[in-house]
Amino acid sequence: MIKIYAQGGYYRDGQAVPAPEPGKAAAEALEDLEAGRRKSLAWKILSAHDHASAADAAAGRLKIRFDALASHDITYVGIVQTARASGMQAFPVPYVLTNCHNSLCAVGGTINEDDHAFGLSAARKYGGDFVPAHLAVIHQYVREVMAGGGKMILGSDSHTRYGALGALGVGEGGPELVKQLLGRYYELERPQVAGVYLHGAPKTGVGPQDVALAIIGAVFAKGIVKNKIMEFVGPGIAGLSTEYRMGVDVMTTETTCLTSIWETDERVEKYLALHGRQSDYRKLAPENGVFYDTLVSVDLGKIEPMIALPFHPGNVHTVREFLANADDLLALVEKETASYVSNRNYRPQLRQKFRDGKFFTDQAVIAGCAGGGFENIALTARLLKQKRAGHPGYNLSVYPASQPLFLELTRQGHTSALMESGVILRTAFCGPCFGAGDVPQNNAFSIRHATRNFPNREGSRPGDGQMSFVALMDARSIAATAMNGGVLTAATSVADFPAEAPGLEDQYHFDQTVYAGRVYHGWQKPEAGLDLVFGPNIAAWPAMPAMPENLLLEVVTAIYDPVTTTDELIPSGETSSYRSNPLKLSEFALSRKDPAYVGKAKAVQALERARAATAAAGGAQPELGKVFGVVRQLGLTGQPDGNEADLAASFGLGSAVFARKPGDGSAREQAASCQKVLGGWANIAAEYATKRYRSNLINWGLFPLLCKDWEKLQFQAGDFVFLPNIRQAISLGLAEIPAGLYRGGKTERIIMQMAPLSQEERQILLDGCLINYYAAQAAR
């Protein structure tokens, strides 16, 4: 089904040719690999947007300017607030503010609509576009209105993926968008490119989510495409509709790749023309003989209906394999549940849902940028027409991804067929992907064509003894399951499953009049004299200190899970309404992983404030006795016998989080900024799951420290790590940083590592955060 060639390979004459394994002689080994890499689509698009100096280019560093930006209502308030505080006068590139995450106003009173009013005022003042709530989910709007061949689009959402339309879409934290709004660059080392060679044709009933999950299951755990660009090529693409390709493409985020790009053809040209944008089409294909650093070969004809079990899109099995081994696989899920539920008396009941060889699901959802497309929903309607979708205790909800798409489904009779079958239709909303829509009951098992199934993504609250479970599946098998009364059913087992050929894309019509009366188009029309509209929950960022000369870190939380998601660092769901208020949001930091984290971090922050007061007044603070004792014992200040006033002035104190591999999942900057608001200064890790999380740490002035000896040291809450002369180390760009570890009255010298930082990244850390960096630049 899927073959992986970690040594890379070539794409020649429409065929994938694996490179020889290391040590094996072959003609390919003599080829100029660098010249082969330059033949990729990714290389050409990146190069067209690169503004790096000759020195940076020689070092393999890129400085990218994007063609357009996109944000939703969880992120755009903070981005605009940061950019305007840093001197922004107008949006320098097209920037669309969408409203698809905080669309519901059930939490926090008027908070969500207050944010929307702020967003519209920002679009008017600075010259942006504004899409009101319920009209479209962010990525569907960009597909319909903005994405085109050869473009690069930066979004403050991790699923910013428009590769199927020929655009490189990159999802990053808000500070990276701030840099673009201020005319700065997106800096990164030139990424490697992984070729994904598609051949064959999917069976009837196998959908884009099945293909995506199969790929994720093959590559995620191995980390072989991490921070690479996935480039889709091969003869199998031609047989896939544009929507089908987009459905695969958007899920590439779950592989931890940087972004993705596809070959384009007349199908893509037709899609763009249908949306009034034929001029945005570019025929894209790599040059013959392109070399890919990693090669993934996918036989589409061998892919079966798939299911990603809780609690990650990478926990993938075929539906057939799952049903054959359900009891064992569900037992593993139940065991993992214990790590999320603090109530020791809680007992998941998943295995009870498997009876007589059948697995009984409790709920189903088809939604968002992955599932809410026209073809997915139209096929669901065809299958369920004149049939019952579930039963009184079983609900299937369908969220079309945009109102134009919803209108076309209605015109063609698909919505009436769904409603007659008992399906609940809802407006464009991203809630089911992050735990704010269709929350099931305790112990329920929900199957969803959505993007993620992390813990809590279905809205449960493990700390309160509430837990439900989400599995990812394709809309086709979800429809087959609903037709079968909720009994898990692969679409390929349905004898009369409607064929997708001729393509449903030939039946689709885009009516842009739906947007005409509601979407505000302000690009290049800023109204500088207008005031922003502030609701009572919209707050500015608190003041953050610059990096001290010496830094003492107290480890307040240590997480040894294989991967720590951004959801575990700052929960999704009900917290989203507080995303415009840094202090209120920080109260939720790590609340579902370490409920004591906020209190412990605040205690360290209080000590730091006392230290600063002591340093300013030249007096003693009794509560700092322990901290001063630690500094003396570490003996790294050069003045171990100094008085407390001297010691107080010699270092700064902050909290730190240890996690083996933090940052998988969402691009949300708040996973880092909440730690900073609470006085955090660093993460310590074996590695970072994604580039975007590491970038978020840097932009919020948190050291992305690495420790090769983490298994030996076994960091734990209460440890102190001292970083002497840290400003000098960062200024010099040291890869290894001498440090001291204090634990249980004993000290030990250790070494911390730091992956390479650009000159700008070093200065951001020295200044304390991106906001300080821009303020310092203005002062300089």
Side-chain angles (χ1 to χ4, degrees), residues 34-361:
E34 191 62 22
R37 291 185 176 98
R38 292 175 182 268
K39 295 179 179 181
S40 71
L41 282 173
W43 183 287
K44 296 180 186 305
I45 295 174
L46 287 172
S47 298
H49 292 80
D50 184 26
H51 296 263
S53 65
D56 282 329
R61 291 197 65 81
L62 303 175
K63 291 187 174 182
I64 300 296
R65 280 201 178 141
F66 288 83
D67 299 298
L69 310 176
S71 292
H72 51 64
D73 46 351
I74 279 180
T75 58
Y76 64 59
V77 175
I79 291 169
V80 171
Q81 286 278 70
T82 303
R84 80 183 188 94
S86 303
M88 179 190 68
Q89 299 298 313
F91 294 155
V93 294
Y95 185 18
V96 60
L97 311 180
T98 66
N99 296 276
C100 52
H101 280 58
N102 281 352
S103 303
L104 299 181
C105 295
V107 178
T110 69
I111 286 175
N112 292 344
E113 280 304 310
D114 290 346
D115 284 0
H116 299 168
F118 176 94
L120 178 56
S121 69
R124 293 184 62 192
K125 181 177 180 67
Y126 299 114
D129 288 0
F130 178 83
V131 182
H134 304 291
L135 277 186
V137 301
I138 177 173
H139 303 308
Q140 183 65 18
Y141 183 82
V142 175
R143 292 164 180 163
E144 293 172 350
V145 177
M146 300 173 69
K151 291 185 178 182
M152 288 193 70
I153 299 176
L154 182 66
S156 54
D157 183 272
S158 58
H159 290 99
T160 302
R161 293 287 188 270
Y162 314 117
L165 298 177
L168 278 177
V170 179
E172 279 283 0
E176 293 299 330
L177 277 78
V178 171
K179 293 177 184 177
Q180 297 290 307
L181 292 174
L182 296 172
R184 304 306 178 92
Y185 301 109
Y186 177 67
E187 297 189 36
L188 73 162
E189 294 182 7
R190 185 174 288 277
Q192 292 189 343
V193 182
V196 183
Y197 175 72
L198 303 180
H199 59 104
K203 302 170 187 173
T204 298
V206 171
Q209 187 80 326
D210 296 316
V211 176
L213 292 178
I215 294 172
I216 294 166
V219 305
F220 171 76
K222 298 181 177 69
I224 60 170
V225 300
K226 178 183 174 182
N227 293 332
K228 297 178 183 177
I229 297 178
M230 297 178 75
E231 186 159 305
F232 288 78
V233 297
I237 292 177
L240 306 179
S241 72
T242 303
E243 267 206 3
Y244 199 111
R245 301 176 200 181
M246 291 190 299
V248 177
D249 184 58
V250 74
M251 291 297 292
T252 58
T253 298
E254 306 314 319
T255 67
T256 69
C257 74
L258 177 68
T259 182
S260 57
I261 190 69
W262 292 56
E263 292 185 293
T264 60
D265 56 20
E266 62 278 0
R267 284 184 185 257
V268 176
E269 182 178 21
K270 183 175 181 179
Y271 179 91
L272 291 171
L274 186 66
H275 291 79
R277 299 193 295 116
Q278 187 166 4
S279 62
D280 283 339
Y281 173 70
R282 298 288 184 276
K283 171 67 176 176
L284 298 178
E287 292 182 42
N288 197 39
V290 58
F291 176 78
Y292 293 120
D293 300 283
T294 301
L295 185 63
V296 180
S297 179
V298 182
D299 186 343
L300 296 170
K302 292 184 179 179
I303 291 178
E304 302 179 41
M306 311 295 291
I307 182 170
L309 295 174
F311 297 97
H312 196 279
N315 189 10
V316 175
H317 307 272
T318 66
V319 172
R320 174 179 52 81
E321 291 168 342
F322 168 65
L323 293 176
N325 303 280
D327 195 69
D328 291 340
L329 293 173
L330 292 171
L332 292 175
V333 175
E334 290 182 347
K335 182 178 179 180
E336 187 176 354
T337 302
S339 66
Y340 302 112
V341 180
S342 56
N343 182 352
R344 295 183 178 274
N345 295 320
Y346 179 85
R347 294 291 182 271
Q349 300 171 14
L350 292 182
R351 282 183 283 178
Q352 296 178 18
K353 300 178 187 298
F354 183 63
R355 303 186 295 273
D356 300 324
K358 299 178 180 179
F359 183 74
F360 293 81
T361 65

Side-chain angles (χ1 to χ4, degrees), residues 470-489:
V470 166
L472 302 183
M473 293 176 66
D474 189 84
R476 292 148 187 78
S477 290
I478 290 174
T481 299
M483 185 182 69
N484 203 12
V487 175
L488 192 72
T489 305

